[in-house]
Amino acid sequence: MGEIWFSVVIVLLFGILNVGKAEIYIVTVEGEPVISYKGGIDGFEATAAESDEKIDTTSESVTFYAQHLEKKHDMLLALLFDRGTYKKIYSYRHLINGFAAHISHEQAEILRRAPGVKSVERDWKVKRLTTHTPQFLGLPTGVWPTGGGFDRAGEDIVIGFIDSGIYPHHPSFASHNTEPYGPLPKYRGKCEIDPNTKKDYCNGKIIGAQHFVEAAKAAGSFNPAIDFDSPLDGDGHGSHTAAIAAGNNGIPVRMHGFEFGRASGMAPRARIAVYKALYRLFGGFVADVVAAIEQAVHDGVDILNLSVGPNSPPATTKTTFLNPFDATLLSAVKAGVFIAQAAGNGGPFPKTLLSYSPWIATVAAAVDDRRYKNHLTLGNGKVLAGLGLSPSTHPNRTFTMVAANDVLLDSSVTKYSPADCQRPEVLNKNLVEGNILLCGYSFNFVVGTASIKKVAETAKALGAAGFVLAVENASPGTKFDPVPVRIPGILITDVSMSMELVNYYNITTSRDWTGRVKSFKSTGSIGNGLRPILHKSAPQVAVFSARGPNIKDYSFQDADLLKPDILAPGSLIWAAWSPNGTDEANYCGEGFALISGTSMAAPHIAGIAALIKQHHPHWSPAAIKSALMTTSSTIDRAERPLQAQQYSESETLMLVPATPFDYGSGHVNPRAALDPGLIFDAGYQDYLGFLCTVPGIDAHEIKKFTHSPCNYTLGHPSNFNSPSIAVSHLVGTRIITRTVTNVAEEETYVVTARMAPEIAIETNPPAMTLRHGASRKFTVTLTVRSVTGAYSFGEVLLKGSRGHKVRIPVAAMGYDR
């Protein structure tokens, strides 16, 4: 499953030389690297391919072009500096065109001014394999200092987690190494007592811990021996989400004897309130979840994180906005609670959202700038790309490869699926020891009865030098994540590469007439997969992230409300795990896990919302959501429009231009969100007005859920004061109204708009001046120019004289009538 590489990659450097005042600099130069070179230089054929995994790095064209780039690097250095005054450390030719050199500050300045040099960066201080989304989002330098540094970031803000509980003994939640947490009178939650130890689950950092299981018990689904009749996390998911939002800063992520950097929550000083309503085996019941939400609001949480959504449409209502989750959450917002909810993991297909309502911040998942790659080098020189967060086999050595099916103790063990390498006792240790064990990735791995962790344990128990897990057939679009393992290991996910491995093995392995192996002659070595590669083509919308358009009812009619709202990191996120956790077979018994999902994206927003709430304690949930949305970014780190992972017709992964139905308003920018300039505010009456305006909603149903009559409407649902605009059925011309409130000093804003050519867009007034605290209305007029049967996208931009930029996305579909 290849990824398309678009731009400069920052590579971490290790083993920095300490010579005088010289330092290591990363220099990028003009000209395409191997991965993106499409030809054009005399004598050098194109080397670009769909993805890095498809490039044969041993081919003549790649070798020649790479040598050409390296010569140019050497010539540049030799032209500028005397021999012996610098040391080139690496030439980057495949993923970026540039080099790393140990040079003085003065030499770096000379390079910076040299023709053909694009950038000169001092060694990028990103810790290796770190849980580095705080750095990726700019929190340590841009946001935490405004709140007094990380040791004050989120102070006195309570984040509630409706999830699978918490593992309170994890260092991410410890309070003994931090300044003591004082009492917090505004929070009224309680701490349940552990039935075994008779101690409660709280420690100041964890300020409340309760569990909700009555519905599950009543349904006969609850097993106290497995699910824990307490707030203890029996799954892992709850500990993971809590640590992303509010885990302590600088916690070493250690696994299998390796340190994968240091983990931190978005708001490391925020308090954690646990409301366990999800369980290992059966998930959760809406009744328990709703009870947990209610209790959390009652207890006085400031922020609520919901990495959970309904499995299926409710039987009680046809309206998405009035499903039991959303209706309960409307009450929570009325109480001043900001809600971050995962968008759902049904992407990349349209209308897969599980979070619908304007009072909720619906969070889509992004792939951030880390990628984990590894490779298997065969004895015939072929290099096969794969995934493996593992150490390499012994450098400068190759190892004999033996297939699990060829090293069985006897034929009777075939009933145990020996190719899965889950049981060391069925394989012959004498034949495996010191060799690389080849295993097959079967359906058992998909359903969770086999795991990569167990393959590694099997290989280790048999004394193998490493293992290879080959995917020989896979459903199109199957998603593979790298798994940390203790010994050298790699997962070959590309079926064609797995076939190359199998063919090489079969050709080099001699057998007798019965098929038994006479001699193993295939050899290979596994690369080092412990170091990340950092991409500038980040963020991207993750393939699994649920997509819009939003729906207003369960017959999937489009809503006049744009969703998702915002994009945040949600792919391959390191965070705390419960050693009891069973949610991911590869992390059973571990203290940390590297997992993906919109479940991981939502707590990023919950934690950042806590930082905004700390900075602006009187802001409404709508104001916080508006600040997050209007300051978000629709360009990646390479200054290109955001892209979304999508499946091609052959169902391989590719990148396409992203739209607001993928990312909402854009990727979160915490620093900008602290000072948005203008906000689009809304309160409970506005939400009621929205509900009362949605066509097809029964006013009695609204009253049933909200206990309020429909006293007024907005004329059209698109007039709800959201920091986005969606019109699902635009006929002729529609005038849409928005109201902005100035939360900064007096400022004059120029209002402009742009839209795809099928729909004309105009704004009025063209400019407006607002004092601090003042509110002003403006209108956006949309007119159908041509009917295409598809949505058109655009944006409204309010540009302030003091430098604030407020952007709202627009989506509309034109009709004749």
Side-chain angles (χ1 to χ4, degrees):
M1 221 197 290
E3 290 170 286
I4 302 171
W5 300 58
F6 277 96
S7 188
V8 178
V9 177
I10 304 300
V11 180
L12 289 182
L13 301 176
F14 300 90
I16 295 174
L17 301 173
N18 186 16
V19 181
K21 289 183 180 175
E23 291 182 87
I24 292 184
Y25 287 82
I26 302 168
V27 181
T28 59
V29 295
E30 285 173 3
E32 296 290 339
V34 167
I35 204 85
S36 55
Y37 172 61
K38 293 178 177 166
I41 300 174
D42 283 350
F44 297 99
E45 292 173 18
T47 55
E50 266 292 294
S51 75
D52 59 308
E53 292 184 353
K54 295 286 187 296
I55 289 177
D56 177 6
T57 51
T58 61
S59 75
E60 214 170 66
S61 58
V62 168
T63 305
F64 284 167
Y65 184 66
Q67 286 171 349
H68 163 72
L69 293 179
E70 184 159 4
K71 276 181 193 160
K72 289 192 76 172
H73 303 160
D74 293 342
M75 281 169 61
L76 175 65
L77 284 165
L79 270 171
L80 293 175
F81 310 127
D82 294 335
R83 183 179 291 183
T85 65
Y86 67 90
K87 181 177 172 60
K88 189 187 80 172
I89 295 172
Y90 298 113
S91 261
Y92 305 123
R93 304 159 303 174
H94 293 92
L95 309 179
I96 60 170
N97 179 16
F99 53 87
H102 193 244
I103 52 179
S104 69
H105 173 71
E106 292 78 10
Q107 288 173 314
E109 286 305 311
I110 292 167
L111 264 173
R112 202 169 264 124
R113 293 192 294 270
V117 172
K118 286 164 71 177
S119 69
V120 180
E121 298 283 355
R122 198 165 55 186
D123 177 24
W124 204 283
K125 292 293 190 289
V126 184
K127 296 188 174 71
R128 56 198 163 136
L129 290 179
T130 181
T131 305
H132 90 162
T133 49
Q135 285 92 331
F136 179 70
L137 295 170
L139 291 172
T141 55
V143 178
W144 290 350
T146 64
F150 72 82
D151 52 349
R152 285 281 174 270
E155 182 84 74
D156 291 346
I157 304 296
V158 181
I159 307 178
F161 296 87
I162 312 288
D163 218 301
S164 65
I166 199 161
Y167 183 68
H169 314 297
H170 197 282
S172 286
F173 313 124
S175 58
H176 53 267
N177 289 329
T178 61
E179 187 179 321
Y181 286 90
L184 198 58
K186 72 174 184 180
Y187 180 73
R188 300 176 292 276
K190 64 178 183 179
C191 285
E192 291 182 16
I193 306 293
D194 185 326
N196 299 319
T197 65
K198 306 304 180 202
K199 292 181 178 175
D200 71 34
Y201 285 87
C202 296
N203 61 4
K205 170 74 173 171
I206 302 171
I207 197 172
Q210 300 168 64
H211 77 297
F212 300 81
V213 72
E214 294 311 309
K217 283 181 176 176
S221 300
F222 183 72
N223 179 342
I226 294 170
D227 293 311
F228 302 130
D229 202 354
S230 76
L232 187 64
D233 187 2
D235 177 277
H237 191 274
S239 301
H240 202 268
T241 55
I244 290 169
N248 290 329
N249 182 59
I251 303 303
V253 178
R254 292 196 182 101
M255 256 182 104
H256 308 314
F258 306 111
E259 185 173 311
F260 294 94
R262 290 172 182 267
S264 172
M266 300 292 103
R269 186 69 178 172
R271 313 287 187 108
I272 293 167
V274 177
Y275 298 88
K276 178 177 171 181
L278 302 180
Y279 295 85
R280 278 186 183 185
L281 297 182
F282 59 87
F285 286 79
V286 169
D288 288 330
V289 173
V290 169
I293 295 168
E294 293 217 328
Q295 187 64 50
V297 174
H298 167 269
D299 292 344
V301 301
D302 297 297
I303 315 283
L304 202 52
N305 183 77
L306 276 166
S307 288
V308 55
N311 286 349
S312 56
T316 50
T317 176
K318 294 192 289 288
T319 306
T320 51
F321 310 122
L322 291 177
N323 76 70
F325 267 161
D326 290 44
T328 307
L329 294 170
L330 176 55
S331 303
V333 171
K334 188 180 183 184
V337 179
F338 175 90
I339 293 150
Q341 185 179 22
N345 293 340
F349 309 106
K351 299 190 184 185
T352 44
L353 295 161
L354 296 176
S355 175
Y356 314 101
S357 297
W359 46 89
I360 297 166
T362 301
V363 188
V367 178
D368 72 12
D369 57 352
R370 280 172 316 170
R371 307 286 191 276
Y372 299 104
K373 301 282 180 186
N374 206 344
H375 60 274
L376 171 70
T377 305
L378 302 180
N380 62 4
K382 281 275 171 68
V383 178
L384 306 182
L387 299 173
L389 257 169
S390 83
S392 64
T393 48
H394 195 285
N396 308 318
R397 269 194 64 191
T398 59
F399 295 83
T400 301
M401 299 194 291
V402 299
N405 280 339
D406 287 332
V407 293
L408 307 181
L409 279 174
D410 62 68
S411 58
S412 68
V413 301
T414 51
K415 62 186 177 191
Y416 296 121
S417 306
D420 286 358
C421 299
Q422 300 295 292
R423 294 166 172 256
E425 66 273 16
V426 305
L427 303 178
N428 187 331
K429 183 171 183 176
N430 293 332
L431 294 176
V432 176
E433 197 162 16
N435 297 324
I436 292 175
L437 179 62
L438 303 184
C439 312
Y441 189 95
S442 69
F443 186 65
N444 295 335
F445 288 88
V446 179
V447 296
T449 53
S451 71
I452 296 171
K453 178 185 172 80
K454 192 69 183 159
V455 175
E457 288 169 358
T458 296
K460 191 170 191 311
L462 297 170
F467 69 87
V468 178
L469 193 53
V471 179
E472 294 180 61
N473 50 52
S475 311
T478 303
K479 188 171 156 292
F480 300 98
D481 282 347
V483 174
V485 289
R486 190 182 299 273
I487 69 166
I490 188 168
L491 172 68
I492 306 291
T493 58
D494 185 307
V495 173
S496 64
M497 290 196 182
S498 293
M499 290 296 96
E500 280 196 50
L501 169 62
V502 170
N503 291 340
Y504 168 67
Y505 178 81
N506 287 337
I507 289 165
T508 53
T509 303
S510 58
R511 302 174 184 272
D512 64 19
W513 65 275
T514 67
R516 286 172 70 111
V517 173
K518 289 198 291 184
S519 65
F520 296 101
K521 290 284 173 61
S522 65
T523 60
S525 61
I526 297 167
N528 183 349
L530 294 174
R531 298 175 183 180
I533 297 163
L534 299 183
H535 274 230
K536 273 216 169 176
S537 59
Q540 297 162 356
V541 182
V543 67
F544 56 79
S545 186
R547 309 295 212 262
N550 194 11
I551 55 170
K552 67 182 181 184
D553 57 37
Y554 290 103
S555 55
F556 289 87
Q557 297 291 308
D558 291 14
D560 294 301
L561 181 78
L562 187 62
K563 289 281 177 171
D565 291 310
I566 197 153
L567 185 66
S571 179
L572 300 179
I573 304 297
W574 274 114
W577 198 247
S578 171
N580 316 307
T582 56
D583 188 41
E584 295 275 345
N586 289 314
Y587 297 100
C588 285
E590 303 295 349
F592 291 91
L594 179 73
I595 55 176
S596 303
T598 52
S599 279
M600 283 64 252
H604 279 90
I605 294 300
I608 295 164
L611 299 175
I612 297 173
K613 181 81 172 173
Q614 179 190 12
H615 210 65
H616 302 285
H618 303 298
W619 279 13
S620 68
I624 295 172
K625 179 179 160 185
S626 173
L628 287 163
M629 290 174 65
T630 62
T631 58
S632 62
S633 174
T634 57
I635 57 169
D636 65 20
R637 302 193 105 182
E639 302 289 319
R640 299 179 187 184
L642 286 181
Q643 294 181 296
Q645 294 181 343
Q646 181 59 266
Y647 293 135
S648 67
E649 284 182 18
S650 62
E651 300 198 38
T652 55
L653 204 63
M654 64 177 189
L655 289 171
V656 297
T659 76
F661 290 158
D662 304 319
Y663 56 66
S665 56
H667 191 272
V668 65
N669 179 347
R671 188 184 314 193
L674 286 180
D675 180 22
L678 302 176
I679 56 166
F680 294 76
D681 212 349
Y684 187 69
Q685 290 303 320
D686 300 294
Y687 297 126
L688 282 181
F690 168 78
L691 287 172
C692 294
T693 311
V694 174
I697 294 194
D698 183 343
H700 296 296
E701 198 174 25
I702 294 171
K703 189 164 186 181
K704 183 176 80 176
F705 280 99
T706 65
H707 314 293
S708 302
C710 276
N711 288 333
Y712 84 106
T713 73
L714 306 174
H716 189 268
S718 61
N719 284 327
F720 171 74
N721 202 41
S722 166
S724 60
I725 293 173
V727 183
S728 62
H729 195 105
L730 178 64
V731 178
T733 296
R734 178 166 296 286
I735 299 172
I736 296 148
T737 305
R738 286 291 181 273
T739 302
V740 288
T741 302
N742 187 7
V743 292
E745 292 178 37
E746 181 172 317
E747 194 164 3
T748 299
Y749 284 85
V750 174
V751 188
T752 57
R754 60 189 179 90
M755 194 80 188
E758 303 82 31
I759 291 174
I761 187 168
E762 290 176 23
T763 56
N764 189 49
M768 50 191 177
T769 301
L770 293 92
R771 294 192 308 277
H772 174 74
S775 297
R776 284 284 303 272
K777 279 187 165 55
F778 70 93
T779 60
V780 178
T781 303
L782 299 178
T783 304
V784 178
R785 278 180 172 158
S786 61
V787 175
T788 62
Y791 274 92
S792 299
F793 300 102
E795 64 181 26
V796 176
L797 183 66
L798 296 91
K799 206 166 179 182
S801 54
R802 291 178 171 272
H804 290 107
K805 283 184 185 173
V806 177
R807 189 183 46 77
I808 66 170
V810 181
M813 194 192 299
Y815 287 84
D816 290 324
R817 54 192 171 87

